[in-house]
Amino acid sequence: MAATSDLPTHHRALVLETIEEGFSVKKVPTPQPGPGSAIVRILEAGVISYHREIYNGERGYEFPKPIVGGLSAIGRIGAVGPDAVVLEPGQLVWVDCVIHARDNPDSLFLTAIHEGMDAGSKKLSSDVWRDGAFAEYMKVPLENCFRLDENRLCQELGYSVRELMYMLYMLVPFGGLRDIRLEPGETVVVCPATGGFGGAGVQVAVSMGARVIAMGRNEKELARLKEHVKKGTPGANIETVKMTGDHETDASTLQAFGTIDAVIDLTPPFAAQSKHLKSAIRALRRGGRCSMMGYVEDVINWNVMAMNQTLKGKLMYEREDIVLFVKMLERGLFPRGKDLVDPKVFKMDECKEALDAAAEWTGIGRTVMIEP
Ligand SMILES: NC(=O)c1ccc[n+]([C@@H]2O[C@H](COP(=O)([O-])OP(=O)(O)OC[C@H]3O[C@@H](n4cnc5c(N)ncnc54)[C@H](OP(=O)(O)O)[C@@H]3O)[C@@H](O)[C@H]2O)c1
């Protein structure tokens, strides 16, 4: 166990007292490690496209206040509790935002943005693992710290820590695609593909060896997406389809590509009326699978039953998905540098600018972070 005296008594953090007041940088006491926890020195804290909507109350997400904001991050272990067996001070780690109750893994919540759905998750998010990664130091469950092989990733493969933060976007569709057991060589429709998580889904599916049909409204962004993928993964199998809004037309366009094995959807709640997912499911083969990671209301076609299709909801990913994703990254299965991601970085004092930028700097290969 590292000497806790190595940790400063206080550190800087972005604290949201109330929705109305917004964030301000404050000096707060540095947490100390105990059994089952690590204290991580945060290097980069991820910001997603709708972080701003969460913290200004528009999304209606429930979380305790005051709170230190955040989500997943990359940092270095500062100190560990007595039961750590492989984590050591100085190690580079992925700090994951999905926290499960140890005595009931079905009780889970997303650090600093959503308190979860039951009494157990609400208790843990309020009383135990409350504060997020928009801070110099964060207390994290040991099992949420994933070791990153710094020599392999940063020296041999040449990733910067900022580039590795694109995991924030890529892990989510990876969780959905693994959940519906996407196989190399299969064809998957990613919709909508022009957003942050959809774009990352295209990259992930290509790196998993699938042929991707990327669906979206914005032709210019679809063209950028195709170019980005082809540059980073020469020989990638990628097609694009512009959504017309007409269910039958879009289903026929997709069917013209031949057998479609899988679909992944990442529609934001404000687009819940869109017909694109219904079209994609209509085009699915017999026994096809669909991962529903977004919010679309009208999805049921007659063929879901007649064609033995599976529609599966999925929140985030499982622990083993993160472990496998890191292995894929370390094996060099993803593009490097700007062919993977072009990050925008802000300081804690620029929190408003960071939240605004994250809402705009979306789509494949784009991510935003706060560097405490
Ligand atoms: N299940 C999970 O674990 C999980 C995790 C993370 C996120 N999500 C969900 O994923 C959603 C997307 O997040 P994001 O960060 O990728 O958002 P984003 O970057 O803002 O992208 C939004 C996407 O939705 C498309 N869109 C907007 N309005 C539409 C409409 N009326 N019809 C069809 N497409 C429309 C956009 O297309 P244009 O380019 O044409 O505007 C864009 O492709 C989130 O809102 C969240 O609910 C789920």
Side-chain angles (χ1 to χ4, degrees):
M1 177 171 165
T4 52
S5 57
D6 293 347
L7 300 173
T9 59
H10 289 75
H11 69 280
R12 295 169 78 239
L14 268 166
V15 181
L16 182 87
E17 292 284 347
T18 63
I19 295 281
E20 295 70 31
E21 282 174 84
F23 281 105
S24 55
V25 179
K26 299 210 162 145
K27 274 232 154 187
V28 297
T30 304
Q32 300 300 310
S37 70
I39 307 302
V40 177
R41 167 85 174 91
I42 301 296
L43 298 176
E44 310 290 347
V47 186
I48 52 170
S49 70
Y50 51 100
H51 244 134
R52 184 178 66 185
E53 281 176 31
I54 293 170
Y55 292 134
N56 68 16
E58 262 178 65
R59 278 245 168 176
Y61 281 20
E62 297 289 342
F63 54 87
K65 290 165 253 345
I67 198 164
V68 174
L71 203 60
S72 296
I74 293 180
R76 283 192 193 284
I77 298 287
V80 290
D83 50 343
V85 294
V86 291
L87 294 172
E88 288 173 5
Q91 273 169 351
L92 193 68
V93 286
W94 173 256
V95 173
D96 198 73
C97 65
V98 186
I99 298 185
H100 295 257
R102 287 169 175 153
D103 53 350
N104 178 17
D106 289 336
S107 184
L108 68 151
F109 66 97
L110 306 185
T111 325
I113 67 164
H114 199 297
E115 64 186 5
M117 310 297 280
D118 58 51
S121 66
K122 287 175 191 176
K123 174 183 149 180
L124 292 183
S125 67
S126 165
D127 302 353
V128 187
W129 309 110
R130 182 177 184 128
D131 288 329
F134 293 171
E136 290 174 325
Y137 289 90
M138 179 183 176
K139 184 172 180 173
V140 184
L142 288 177
E143 65 272 22
N144 282 61
C145 298
F146 294 81
R147 289 181 297 162
L148 300 173
D149 183 338
E150 193 170 358
N151 182 51
R152 173 69 181 150
L153 291 167
C154 300
Q155 266 69 57
E156 292 177 15
L157 295 175
Y159 287 112
S160 67
V161 172
R162 291 173 175 183
E163 287 161 0
L164 293 174
M165 271 311 298
Y166 195 44
M167 279 176 70
L168 181 74
Y169 276 108
M170 292 195 290
L171 275 173
V172 169
F174 188 62
L177 292 170
R178 289 254 300 154
D179 193 47
I180 56 167
R181 309 203 183 290
L182 183 72
E183 299 286 352
E186 286 196 316
T187 297
V188 60
V189 173
V190 178
C191 57
T194 50
F197 288 102
V202 171
Q203 180 61 70
V204 167
V206 163
S207 296
M208 290 170 80
R211 175 170 75 139
V212 176
I213 304 174
M215 258 188 122
R217 299 183 302 180
N218 181 337
E219 278 179 298
K220 204 171 152 204
E221 180 61 12
L222 285 174
R224 186 185 76 81
L225 178 146
K226 191 167 187 171
E227 198 189 323
H228 181 91
V229 171
K230 289 271 185 196
K231 201 154 170 265
T233 315
N237 288 286
I238 173 153
E239 311 286 351
T240 58
V241 167
K242 180 176 164 30
M243 296 171 183
T244 65
D246 181 78
H247 165 226
E248 297 290 344
T249 306
D250 290 352
S252 307
T253 308
L254 291 172
Q255 278 161 340
F257 287 102
T259 303
I260 293 175
D261 304 284
V263 175
I264 185 166
D265 180 75
L266 285 145
T267 303
F270 56 82
Q273 301 300 322
S274 177
K275 300 281 178 220
H276 66 265
L277 184 54
K278 191 169 183 165
S279 305
I281 291 170
R282 177 71 183 280
L284 257 184
R285 71 163 163 85
R286 185 174 159 80
R289 301 92 67 201
C290 173
S291 176
M292 299 180 58
M293 300 198 84
Y295 302 82
V296 182
E297 284 170 6
D298 185 10
V299 293
I300 302 298
N301 298 266
W302 61 268
N303 59 323
V304 171
M305 171 274 291
M307 302 282 275
N308 287 3
Q309 293 169 346
T310 304
L311 310 188
K312 278 189 99 180
K314 184 68 186 170
L315 178 69
M316 305 299 275
Y317 35 74
E318 304 303 313
R319 192 172 196 282
E320 61 263 30
D321 296 333
I322 307 178
V323 172
L324 183 63
F325 186 90
V326 172
K327 284 183 186 173
M328 286 176 68
L329 204 57
E330 290 174 353
R331 296 290 69 76
L333 296 181
F334 291 95
R336 328 267 165 81
K338 287 231 176 346
D339 291 343
L340 179 70
V341 65
D342 187 4
K344 284 195 188 296
V345 183
F346 295 84
K347 292 288 170 196
M348 278 203 281
D349 305 297
E350 303 168 317
C351 175
K352 184 182 176 316
E353 290 84 347
L355 295 176
D356 289 346
E360 299 297 325
W361 188 241
T362 58
I364 192 165
R366 292 175 173 166
T367 196
V368 170
M369 62 207 69
I370 291 178
E371 203 168 71

